[in-house]
């Protein structure tokens, strides 16, 4: 009886506050505190749990990757990556928009953020596509849709958050008894596992883009491919292309941890910006620090409150109830995957990605364990599903950024982005149903 009352207070106050328009961090914190007081717990425990959640070493990667992404845009690295992607596109049907997808892949391998990728690439590519005769709505839609690759192509801020959430959640003994020992979750492992799923999503977007551009009549350049131009752009963009190679190569080779790689990325960018490209100014560094402080503070506040919320869910057996309900409904693994994916897509439409991961990981990961699903595979599917939320209304952050850059209405971009969202959903089902896409590379590298 007490358990059901706590759940009612926890979810009831959380949903009521959201409906009243309270920020998600306030809704999480107030509902968790109300439940603590109802249970007669000392409120100091609330603060202790929350403090522990933001005191982990891997979490240092979060502000570092945000700062690295902001500095790379200011240092001219993102512009050179875009120019390189455009030179490869050439006369290919929909070449400019294909270059946008490729540029988002390149920049995603640096920034780890969907909105940052959309902003950096969109500022350059949306005006360029419009100049080449692309419709404003289509140019904005392909950029907003491709920006979601920023959180799937490693390094990825949501993967860092999932890793921190999952590391403390052990597989239930009954799941281990039924399915054997599960592999541990680590952030480097998640980064490596995200590589091929990122390519699957990218190929899906490129394929849909080709057919859409063929239908709309968006052609590539009339000059054809220019080997000289590609070599020139490669020469100009050498230091920019080396950025993701240095970051990811260091992580994959075990030379440094994801947290250390984020610091390496910052110093690499500062060196390139000040001494090689000579485009980075002190005022740009200060602006990047300001952006990082604001974004990190917002994320840590959500993490602070969501951890306490998640702890209350686990203590009141909510994950076990959800798992048993799903297993009573069906024992077919593919149907359960479908239920989880559609649920995550729905949540991604209304909730900020990092908050969704923090709230849902304690609920859904035990369900995955009870079904014998590998936790690393599950984490990648969660991140892929929520990445689609960046391009779907009403909360799609990438839509707002693309709209601001192009001056096109959110409604028009949303309609144009629909085919890309459907393609991404299809790709997510392929990733979920074929675990080897995710797990092959970590196994190959001995994780």
């Amino acid at each position: 009886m007490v358990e059901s009352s706590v759940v009612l207070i926890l979810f009831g106050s959380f949903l009521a506050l959201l409906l009243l328009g309270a920020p998600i961090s306030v809704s999480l914190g107030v509902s968790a505190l109300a439940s603590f007081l109802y249970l007669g717990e000392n409120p100091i425990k609330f603060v202790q749990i929350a403090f522990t959640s933001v005191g982990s070493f891997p979490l240092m990667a979060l502000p570092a990757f945000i700062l690295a992404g902001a500095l790379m845009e200011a240092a001219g690295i993102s512009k050179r990556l875009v120019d390189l992607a455009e030179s490869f596109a050439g006369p290919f049907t929909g070449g400019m928009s294909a270059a946008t997808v490729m540029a988002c892949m390149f920049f995603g391998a640096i920034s780890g953020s969907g909105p940052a990728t959309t902003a950096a690439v969109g500022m350059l590519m949306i005006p360029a596509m419009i100049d080449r005769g692309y419709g404003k709505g289509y140019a904005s839609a392909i950029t907003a849709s491709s920006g979601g690759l920023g959180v799937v192509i490693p390094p990825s801020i949501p993967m860092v958050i999932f890793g921190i959430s999952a590391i403390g959640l052990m597989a239930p003994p009954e799941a281990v008894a039924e399915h054997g020992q599960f592999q541990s979750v680590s952030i480097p492992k998640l980064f490596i596992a995200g590589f091929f799923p990122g390519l699957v999503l990218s190929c899906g977007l490129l394929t849909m883009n080709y057919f859409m551009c063929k239908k709309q009549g968006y052609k590539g350049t009339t000059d054809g491919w220019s080997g000289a131009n590609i070599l020139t752009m490669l020469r100009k963009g050498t230091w920019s292309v080396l950025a993701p190679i240095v970051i990811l190569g260091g992580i994959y080779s075990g030379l440094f941890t994801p947290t250390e790689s984020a610091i390496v990325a910052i110093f690499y960018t500062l060196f390139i910006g000040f001494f090689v490209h000579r485009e980075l100014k002190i005022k740009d560094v200060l602006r990047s620090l300001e952006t990082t402080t604001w974004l990190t503070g917002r994320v840590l506040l959500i993490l602070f409150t969501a951890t306490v919320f998640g702890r209350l869910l686990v203590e009141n057996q909510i994950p076990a109830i959800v798992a048993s309900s799903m297993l009573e409904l069906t024992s077919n693994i593919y149907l359960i995957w479908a239920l989880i994916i559609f649920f995550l897509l729905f949540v991604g439409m209304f909730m900020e990605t990092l908050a969704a991961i923090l709230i849902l990981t304690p609920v859904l990961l035990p369900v995955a364990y009870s079904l014998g699903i590998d936790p690393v595979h599950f984490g990648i599917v969660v991140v892929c599903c929520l990445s689609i939320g960046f391009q779907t209304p009403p909360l799609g952050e990438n839509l707002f950024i693309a709209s601001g850059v192009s001056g096109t209405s959110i409604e028009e971009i949303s309609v144009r982005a629909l085919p890309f969202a459907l393609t991404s959903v299809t790709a997510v089902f392929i990733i979920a149903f074929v675990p080897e896409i995710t797990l092959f590379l970590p196994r190959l590298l001995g994780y």
Side-chain angles (χ1 to χ4, degrees):
M1 186 65 186
V2 175
E3 282 182 7
S4 59
S5 301
V6 171
V7 172
L8 191 63
I9 291 167
L10 191 65
F11 282 101
S13 53
F14 175 63
L15 293 171
L17 286 163
L18 281 181
L19 290 171
L20 288 170
I24 192 156
S25 53
V26 173
S27 304
L28 287 166
V30 170
S31 58
L33 185 59
S35 303
F36 262 90
L37 293 172
Y38 174 79
L39 289 167
E41 299 267 12
N42 189 334
I44 292 295
K45 187 182 173 186
F46 177 99
V47 179
Q48 287 171 336
I49 296 168
F51 179 77
T52 307
S53 72
V54 295
S56 63
F57 176 71
L59 197 58
M60 286 174 64
L62 178 69
F65 275 128
I66 293 172
L67 179 58
L71 287 172
M72 282 175 182
E73 190 180 347
I77 287 177
S78 56
K79 184 180 186 306
R80 285 165 175 78
L81 289 174
V82 166
D83 290 342
L84 180 61
E86 190 182 345
S87 70
F88 277 112
F92 188 75
T93 298
M96 282 291 285
S97 45
T100 302
V101 179
M102 290 161 63
C104 285
M105 287 172 65
F106 285 140
F107 195 74
I110 300 169
S111 76
S113 163
T117 301
T118 305
V121 175
M123 292 292 284
L124 302 164
M125 291 305 285
I126 291 176
M129 281 189 276
I130 293 167
D131 288 344
R132 292 280 178 90
Y134 284 73
K136 275 187 180 184
Y138 186 83
S140 305
I142 186 67
T143 308
S145 302
S146 306
L149 296 171
V151 302
V152 181
I153 302 282
S156 157
I157 292 168
M159 284 183 198
V160 172
I161 298 297
F162 178 84
I164 291 163
S165 303
I167 285 166
L169 291 169
M170 304 304 292
E174 56 271 21
V176 175
E178 187 178 348
H179 302 288
Q181 199 65 42
F182 291 88
Q183 68 166 319
S184 61
V185 178
S186 71
I187 293 166
K189 204 182 292 184
L190 286 164
F191 281 1
I192 293 166
F195 185 75
F196 282 134
L199 287 181
V200 171
L201 284 166
S202 304
C203 290
L205 290 172
L206 286 168
T207 305
M208 178 55 74
N209 172 67
Y210 175 78
F211 289 112
M212 295 282 287
C213 287
K214 199 165 187 179
K215 185 181 175 185
Q216 300 284 342
Y218 299 144
K219 294 186 167 43
T221 57
T222 51
D223 309 332
W225 271 291
S226 166
N229 184 42
I230 290 172
L231 285 173
T232 302
M233 291 305 169
L234 267 172
R235 186 170 48 78
K236 285 183 179 178
T238 301
W239 291 101
S240 301
V241 173
L242 279 174
I245 293 171
V246 167
I247 296 165
L248 298 177
I251 296 169
Y252 293 172
S253 64
L255 200 60
F256 35 72
T257 67
T259 306
E260 291 163 349
S261 78
I263 307 301
V264 169
I266 290 169
F267 280 99
Y268 180 86
T269 307
L270 289 170
F271 175 77
I272 300 304
F274 280 124
F275 302 110
V276 180
H277 294 164
R278 296 180 182 177
E279 292 177 20
L280 194 62
K281 305 288 185 287
I282 295 296
K283 65 176 183 182
D284 297 323
V285 176
L286 293 174
R287 192 162 56 245
S288 299
L289 285 167
E290 187 182 327
T291 304
T292 304
T293 305
W294 185 80
L295 283 174
T296 306
R298 193 181 73 168
V299 171
L300 288 181
L301 200 57
I302 294 169
L303 176 63
F304 191 92
T305 51
T307 303
V308 185
F309 192 92
R311 179 73 66 88
L312 280 164
L313 288 178
V314 173
E315 285 177 359
N316 288 282
Q317 303 291 308
I318 305 303
I321 294 165
V322 173
S324 62
S325 301
M326 279 193 171
L327 291 171
E328 281 171 18
L329 194 65
T330 176
S331 58
N332 186 307
I333 186 75
Y334 298 110
L335 281 177
I336 292 174
W337 260 128
L339 287 171
I340 290 171
I341 289 168
F342 283 124
F343 175 65
L344 288 168
L345 292 170
F346 177 76
V347 168
M349 289 170 65
F350 297 96
M351 193 177 287
E352 201 269 334
T353 303
L354 301 182
I357 290 171
L358 286 163
I359 294 167
L360 296 176
T361 301
V363 178
L364 294 179
L365 188 56
V367 177
Y369 278 131
S370 65
L371 294 164
I373 296 169
D374 184 275
V376 172
H377 178 215
F378 182 75
I380 297 300
V381 174
V382 169
V383 171
C384 289
C385 285
L386 294 174
S387 76
I388 298 170
F390 283 118
Q391 70 192 69
T392 51
L395 194 71
E397 292 173 73
N398 291 2
L399 297 175
F400 290 101
I401 292 167
S403 172
V405 172
S406 66
T408 313
S409 71
I410 298 287
E411 291 79 12
E412 186 183 345
I413 300 173
S414 300
V415 171
R416 299 276 189 171
L418 200 57
F420 297 110
L422 292 172
T423 304
S424 298
V425 171
T426 306
V428 168
F429 271 99
I430 293 168
I431 294 161
F433 290 173
V434 187
E436 278 305 302
I437 294 172
T438 302
L439 301 176
F440 170 73
L441 200 55
R443 280 202 198 109
L444 186 69
L445 295 175
Y447 278 88

